[in-house]
């Protein structure tokens, strides 16, 4: 019996060790690259894509990877995690006033962007209408991770950040539906039926996302799990459940996971800072893995002929389609001109368009490889142009807000047998709780500050103890007043000791 061919040999522990070593090195390099991207102002996606390209067949790694189907599956899985992390970090108080404008921007704005970009790709580049429509749909989805990785150091008005964040969470759903429809074999007929399908899928996804999020948050608030480490796992499991329920019900799973995560993120769940940190870690791993795989899939030596078409399509998208979609969508809402300008330029395209560009490849659409190459070049080049200039544009338009009080970090741990909660409170820099006496917090009856940790020393505070920046407080509250105590603490952090009398929320009782 001859030797077993290499491709038929079973995997061994040695192979697993090699795989783990390679993955660990890639993750360490990618994590170190975050520092480079933060210093340069470039979105981290470019660094991770570069790592994938270097590891690919034209790079030093010479890894042969050409499975569009596997890339699409991995991309969808990563996108679910990224949307969940984004929803958990979305503040309801910021997006509630802008939900109508963000919804119009994510639907009507997407339609305008698809039409204008497709027309440019057809008439200026010479693509067939089906290919032009696919490209127009693919690049019409904005990427929240790319936008806020650049703007995270610049405080913007809540209306701007809320609109951009909600738009990026909402517009993935209609774009996916459009790309799948345009990539289906046969002519696309009866546009009104396609419009009805989009509306139905969005409605189903929204309903299931809201339901799963509400029931999940209710359960986590009323059931004390045996270990604090189970709360982050439970939250992510609920978010993934929302996606699965939406997809299986023929609705928009992406909208479902974003809405469910947003409800969970604003429900003041137990051990929330730990849950938020866990979600951020998973989000980083998902982004790193997704971008590296996308970099492996691209073949750099095939991109030469598609650079000019990509630049033309990108120019139409950034200079015509995106600004026009913003203007048309925001006309009824009277958004100031500087904010419209920033939103027009802040339409960064990240990993989502590249993932969506694999759909026509999997479906065997003619010219799908060229579509992927054009989208890849477009995303890289225009992210390279837009990313570093966004902070400068925000400052030029004078949209930065200074002096806003920092949000108060509160972690809650339920005491099921004692029918109470432990609230761990950290007084951040910029909080107006600095200089307030413990008695001036005016917590509701049933809540009290029991311990203060200052400069690594703990002590039991007196009513006259003055709180300082950096203090960590341990507040004990009974179940009936837990929410009122947290509201009061946040009100003092925002408005100081006179919060209740000056109109800030969180009055005693």
């Amino acid at each position: 019996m001859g030797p077993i061919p290499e491709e038929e040999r079973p995997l061994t522990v040695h192979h697993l060790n090699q795989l783990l070593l390679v993955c660990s090195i890639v993750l360490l390099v990618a994590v170190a690259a975050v520092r480079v991207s933060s210093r340069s102002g470039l979105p981290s996606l470019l660094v991770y894509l570069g790592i994938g390209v270097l590891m690919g067949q034209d790079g030093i790694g010479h890894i042969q990877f050409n499975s569009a189907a596997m890339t699409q599956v991995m991309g969808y899985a990563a996108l679910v995690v990224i949307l969940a992390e984004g929803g958990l970090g979305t503040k309801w108080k910021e997006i509630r006033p802008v939900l109508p404008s963000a919804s119009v921007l994510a639907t009507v704005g997407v339609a305008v962007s698809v039409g204008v970009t497709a027309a440019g790709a057809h008439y200026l580049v010479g693509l067939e209408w089906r290919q032009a429509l696919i490209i127009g749909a693919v690049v019409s989805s904005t990427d929240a991770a790319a936008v806020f990785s650049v703007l995270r150091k610049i405080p913007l008005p809540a209306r701007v950040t809320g609109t951009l964040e909600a738009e990026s969470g909402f517009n993935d759903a209609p774009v996916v539906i459009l790309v799948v429809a345009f990539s289906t074999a046969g002519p696309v007929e009866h546009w009104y039926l396609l419009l009805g399908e989009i509306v139905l899928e969005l409605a189903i996804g929204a309903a299931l996302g809201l339901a799963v999020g509400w029931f999940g948050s209710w359960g986590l608030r009323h059931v004390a799990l045996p270990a604090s480490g189970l709360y982050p796992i439970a939250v992510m499991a609920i978010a993934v459940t929302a996606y699965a329920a939406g997809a299986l019900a023929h609705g928009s799973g992406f909208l479902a996971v974003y809405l469910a995560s947003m409800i969970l993120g604003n429900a003041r769940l137990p051990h929330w800072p730990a849950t938020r940190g866990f979600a951020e870690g998973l989000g980083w791993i998902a982004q790193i893995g997704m971008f590296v795989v996308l970099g492996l899939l691209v073949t750099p030596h095939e991109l030469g002929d598609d650079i000019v078409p990509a630049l033309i399509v990108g120019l139409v998208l950034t200079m015509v389609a995106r600004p026009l979609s913003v203007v048309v969508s925001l006309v009824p809402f009277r958004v100031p001109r500087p904010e419209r300008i920033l939103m027009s330029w802040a339409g960064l395209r990240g990993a989502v368009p590249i993932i969506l560009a694999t759909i026509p490849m999997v479906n065997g659409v003619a010219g799908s490889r060229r579509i992927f190459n054009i989208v890849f070049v477009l995303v890289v080049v225009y992210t390279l142009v837009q990313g570093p200039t966004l902070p400068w544009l925000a400052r030029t338009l004078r949209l930065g807000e200074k002096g806003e009080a920092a949000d108060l970090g509160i972690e809650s741990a339920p005491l099921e047998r004692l029918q109470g909660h432990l609230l761990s409170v950290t007084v951040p820099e910029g909080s107006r709780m600095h200089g307030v006496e413990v008695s001036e917090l005016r917590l509701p009856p049933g809540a009290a500050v029991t311990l203060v940790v200052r400069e690594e020393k703990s002590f039991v505070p007196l009513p006259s103890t003055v709180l300082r920046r950096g203090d960590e407080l341990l507040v004990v509250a009974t179940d009936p007043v837990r929410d009122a105590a947290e509201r009061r603490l946040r009100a003092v952090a925002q408005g100081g000791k006179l919060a209740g009398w000056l109109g800030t929320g969180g009055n005693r009782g």
Side-chain angles (χ1 to χ4, degrees), residues 239-257:
V240 175
T241 299
Y243 170 80
L248 291 175
H250 301 288
S252 173
F254 294 120
L255 182 59
V257 67

Side-chain angles (χ1 to χ4, degrees), residues 145-189:
V147 172
F148 290 105
S149 67
V150 176
L151 295 180
R152 62 186 179 272
K153 295 182 179 180
I154 301 178
L156 295 173
R159 178 164 56 183
V160 175
T161 56
T163 301
L164 290 173
E165 190 169 353
E167 180 207 4
S168 62
F170 293 160
N171 65 11
D172 290 338
V175 166
V176 170
I177 298 171
L178 288 174
V179 175
V180 171
F182 295 149
S183 302
T184 303
V188 179
E189 298 179 347

